Amino acid sequence: MHFTSEQRLDDGVLEREFTLGEIPGILWTPASASVSAPAPLILLGHPPLGLRRMYPRLAGRARQAAADGFAAATIELPGSGDRPRRPAVDQARADLRRAVEAGEPVGDEIIDALVLPLVDKAVPEWQTALDALLSLPGIGGPVGYSGGVISIGVRLAVVEPRIVAAGLFAGSFVPRATFEEARRVTIPLHVLLQWDDEGNDRQAALELFDAFGSKEKTLHANMGGHTGVPQFAGDDAARFFTRHL
């Protein structure tokens, strides 16, 4: 991990950009973190729109996490930002757009082609990033995962034992294979659903929540579209991570 920039934000949070091989990322550390008192870590997921575009929302989430005593980190997803494009995924995204604009149902074939290659590549990258982050002074476990593409969060919850709690956003298309993986998830979950999300299949989101094998799982459903998440929903998620981290 190579740090490329560093700045202290006005609330005392240390923000550092880094590269991990070809993968850019950002780490936010609370002022309270130290070698003798390492901060728990939250991995901040996001949609594949690029870190620069998502930065304001990610930084806001990170500063909230820091106020609660947590470090937070994110990495650029495959095919996003300045990373090399992935032609097959771009084609699937174009097929999805055409289906939606034509008012046609989005079939499993399109969803699988769009989401599964992203999950297969992104999850090992998140694990590599986690190795590097937990080796840094002032950062320790336990680890949580928050937001982003829900299928990535599900896969991480299954394969990464260092993640002990996850806050998931039911706002993206879900391959059928993810439903099977969900049955193997056992960590505590906090799932956010926007009831009127125009780009999300509400019934599929409810079925995915039902499939999770976790004994502790909470569904927070709010009225409004994809970008209409109320502030108190973020507060509820913060309390979830405070309980478990």
Side-chain angles (χ1 to χ4, degrees), residues 1-2 4 18-25 83 125 128-129 132:
M1 175 176 283
H2 174 64
T4 58
F18 64 83
T19 56
L20 192 63
E22 65 171 13
I23 308 168
R83 296 190 64 183
E125 292 182 351
T128 298

Side-chain angles (χ1 to χ4, degrees), residues 53-241:
R53 181 173 172 182
M54 294 302 302
Y55 173 81
R57 289 167 59 185
L58 287 165
R61 291 164 60 195
R63 294 172 86 156
Q64 175 62 59
D68 294 332
F70 306 131
T74 192
I75 58 174
E76 188 74 87
L77 290 175
S80 296
D82 295 328
R83 296 190 64 183
R85 304 304 302 175
R86 309 189 78 207
V89 175
D90 289 343
Q91 181 60 54
R93 188 173 292 114
D95 293 341
L96 169 66
R97 188 179 302 112
R98 279 195 294 270
V100 171
E101 290 174 352
E104 300 172 352
V106 179
D108 289 344
E109 183 177 343
I110 293 177
I111 294 174
D112 288 356
L114 179 67
V115 179
L116 292 179
L118 177 64
V119 174
D120 289 343
K121 186 163 179 60
V123 167
E125 292 182 351
W126 269 117
Q127 292 182 290
T128 298
L130 186 54
D131 291 340
L133 290 162
L134 291 179
S135 72
L136 297 173
I139 298 177
V143 180
Y145 177 84
S146 173
V149 178
I150 196 168
S151 295
I152 293 177
V154 172
R155 176 75 61 81
L156 278 169
V158 171
V159 304
E160 181 46 73
R162 291 172 293 185
I163 295 177
V164 302
L168 304 176
F169 181 41
S172 51
F173 290 101
V174 182
R176 299 313 303 179
T178 301
F179 286 81
E180 295 306 314
E181 290 184 314
R183 303 182 198 284
R184 297 161 53 199
V185 174
T186 58
I187 62 174
L189 298 176
H190 178 101
V191 182
L192 176 63
L193 170 64
Q194 287 299 100
W195 200 250
D196 306 303
D197 189 339
E198 60 284 355
N200 184 42
D201 184 334
R202 181 197 301 165
Q203 187 59 41
L206 295 174
E207 290 173 3
L208 180 64
F209 179 79
D210 189 50
F212 285 124
S214 303
K215 292 182 178 179
E216 180 186 335
K217 57 180 180 179
T218 304
L219 179 67
H220 283 241
N222 297 287
M223 305 304 291
H226 189 82
T227 59
V229 180
Q231 177 60 44
F232 62 77
D235 297 338
D236 290 338
R239 285 191 288 271
F240 167 80
F241 283 115

